[in-house]
Amino acid sequence: MNLAVCLKRVPDTTTKLKIGPDGKSIDPQGVEWAISPYDELAIELALRLKEKAGGEVVGVSVDPDGNDVAMRKALAIGLDKGVLIKGGGNFDGWATAQVLASVLKARKFDVIFFGKQAIDSDAFQVPTMVAHLLGLPRVNVCTSFEVDGAKAKCKRQIEGGEETIEVALPCVISVQKGVNGIHDKRFPSMKGIMAAKSKPVESVAAPAVESTMEVVKLEMPPERPPGKIVGKGVDAVPELVRLLKEEAKVL
Amino acid sequence: MNLLVFAEVRDGKLKKSSLETLSEAVRLAKPLGSKVGVALVGEGIKAHAETLGKHGAAQVFAVDSPRLKFYASEAYAKAVVSAHQKLGSGAILMAATSMGRDLAGAVAALLGSGAATDCTGVKIEGGKVVAKRPVYSGKAYATVAFKKAPAVLSLRPNVFVAQETGGTAAVEDLAVAFDDADFRSAVKEVAATAQGKVELTEASVIVAGGRGLQAPENFKVRDELASVLGAAVGASRAVVDNGWRPHSEQVGQTGKTVSPNLYIALGVSGAIQHLAGMRTSKVIVAINKDPDAPIFKAATYGVVGDALEIVPVLIQNLKKALAQ
């Protein structure tokens, strides 16, 4: 099977963010970059599918500034090759989708995988938009994905339940943590890291696209008003309940 | 600028978060003197027009078809866009539920626009739609401005207040020409995974447990407290990674982002990625043995001590307080 995984480079989840001098973006100083965690699960799902059905897995990523750390990591984990789309750092979801679709359209993929969201913009929309642009069915927040001939049977997480969706291949899938029992990313082996160096990475220029939204301000969340330590141990319980009832009025 | 709201119906019930979204649209439309319409999509959904009217919708566009019994991304998007064209709306709003998040992208793609998801604030300034939304899972907030109309927005549940204003909506049946391609991603079946349980992202009270509960079997203490409060249950990443609790309960950057009225954290240390997912909760209670745990910095009320000893006493006291 011919499989694609779309990857995004994001600050590692343990990063303490600082706002940059432009007031619209984060300060890249001291940020450790990683593959967005849900994309790592998409990589694992794609690799398992390849190990069963054969074929190859291609990583596709937008690289705004020549920092290809996400792609290099993905190749070390096991992707066969990569496509880096150069340019464009301030894309909104629609612009990103158009850029990705321009690369994906030219190649025939059976399944295009995404993480359910990138953990920086948290926008939940690029997979759907890519599917729209390519005229493909899509299933977001997938918890189960099984290929059966020319079809895929998917389960999708919703509030308090699960939807079953059957789509024809080719299709676009975005994955939730726990998809097909996958909770953890695959770590690169030493052999994988060495092999990654000789794997082909194609560079293509991003097509001219325009964002429909712009960030006008980025700020830290408002500080929570200082709280109080009610007390220690079980003796503090009556006072805690009184505060919840009379002061906070949440009971 | 007319505003269109998508009303979500699940299991025959109109979502509370859709009413929150509608009420916010009504508040935005009032100073502009513009009209709020609602796209009501599904099968046998028209009875909900009355509730929508009471919440300030001037017009309801009903797209009612047996084919729309379950969610179908493309078809629902087409229905919403039809209502948008009929109303001539400058912004399309929906609740950021799992359906709403999917639909926002699908609607925006049909219109050739981006979508602002999970917004916690919306303004219309000089004919432009400006939205505030959490990014980096709530570690920061971005204010985004739409450069073109219509703006597509999803609003975070539990942030905006649903309000009855009284009124009656004019109901118009909208005939939408669907083709088979509109159902290529359609849902075939819906199964409830947690019957009767309160969904985390929609809950007004959440009780979460962390490693401080010491063992998976001790989570019954958390569950008991939750049942007294009618709360949903959450967990920290550490206990999910340990396999003590399922990922569906995880609160934080690689789990769910929540903003209930009351969040009670039992034995949760308060790692940065956990705080990102719950710091917008209105009242936070932390119970933790370690007085230096970062969770106390975010907490409205903190109790230093072993949650396993404190919670049974808390349950007794709460039962008394709730009975009064």
Side-chain angles (χ1 to χ4, degrees), chain B residues 7-309:
Chain B
E8 178 176 340
V9 179
R10 279 250 187 226
D11 284 336
K13 286 193 214 77
L14 186 60
K15 284 269 189 180
K16 177 175 153 269
S17 48
S18 291
L19 293 175
E20 293 166 8
T21 306
L22 172 57
S23 290
E24 184 59 16
V26 169
R27 284 188 283 269
L28 288 166
K30 205 173 174 194
L32 305 171
S34 53
K35 198 158 109 176
V36 176
V38 171
L40 183 56
V41 184
E43 183 194 22
I45 32 80
K46 268 187 271 182
H48 297 299
E50 194 187 328
T51 311
L52 296 166
K54 273 188 197 151
H55 284 79
Q59 186 141 26
V60 170
F61 301 97
V63 186
D64 192 336
S65 159
R67 293 187 90 180
L68 301 170
K69 180 181 179 202
F70 292 131
Y71 180 62
S73 183
E74 291 95 336
Y76 271 53
K78 203 177 204 182
V80 170
V81 170
S82 297
H84 152 71
Q85 283 158 349
K86 199 86 190 190
L87 181 69
S89 45
I92 303 170
L93 301 93
M94 58 199 82
T97 57
S98 48
M99 189 192 289
R101 279 173 172 167
D102 190 279
L103 185 62
V107 168
L110 270 180
L111 296 166
S113 169
T117 31
D118 268 280
C119 300
T120 55
V122 184
K123 274 192 222 162
I124 300 172
E125 294 172 338
K128 280 206 166 182
V129 178
V130 178
K132 193 168 182 175
R133 52 180 304 266
V135 288
Y136 302 96
S137 307
K139 287 181 188 170
Y141 278 75
T143 303
V144 296
F146 279 86
K147 294 197 271 187
K148 60 177 273 193
V152 180
L153 308 126
S154 69
L155 270 51
R156 173 166 285 186
N158 266 345
V159 171
F160 302 93
V161 180
Q163 199 178 4
E164 282 194 26
T165 50
T168 314
V171 183
E172 185 180 337
D173 280 301
L174 218 54
V176 179
F178 293 114
D179 51 56
D180 288 346
D182 296 325
F183 295 92
R184 61 188 165 199
S185 314
V187 172
K188 294 240 161 8
E189 201 181 292
V190 179
T193 44
Q195 205 105 40
K197 264 199 187 172
V198 188
E199 164 63 23
L200 259 183
T201 52
E202 298 175 331
S204 59
V205 182
I206 293 172
V207 182
R211 225 170 354 193
L213 292 183
Q214 295 171 33
E217 59 270 23
N218 292 338
F219 276 72
K220 61 179 190 287
V221 169
R222 175 201 67 166
D223 297 348
E224 206 180 319
L225 176 57
S227 89
V228 170
L229 292 166
V233 292
S236 70
R237 185 164 88 184
V239 301
V240 171
D241 285 351
N242 280 353
W244 294 3
R245 299 306 310 162
H247 178 250
S248 57
E249 291 180 5
Q250 187 181 322
V251 173
Q253 198 165 11
T254 49
K256 288 174 176 158
T257 305
V258 298
S259 49
N261 281 325
L262 175 59
Y263 188 93
I264 303 180
L266 308 174
V268 175
S269 65
I272 183 165
Q273 55 81 24
H274 186 83
L275 295 177
M278 45 65 86
R279 58 169 298 140
T280 55
S281 305
K282 284 170 194 92
V283 173
I284 296 172
V285 173
I287 301 176
N288 200 300
K289 252 194 281 198
D290 174 10
D292 298 322
I295 190 79
F296 286 121
K297 287 211 181 75
T300 323
Y301 305 120
V303 175
V304 180
D306 185 346
L308 294 175
E309 283 170 21

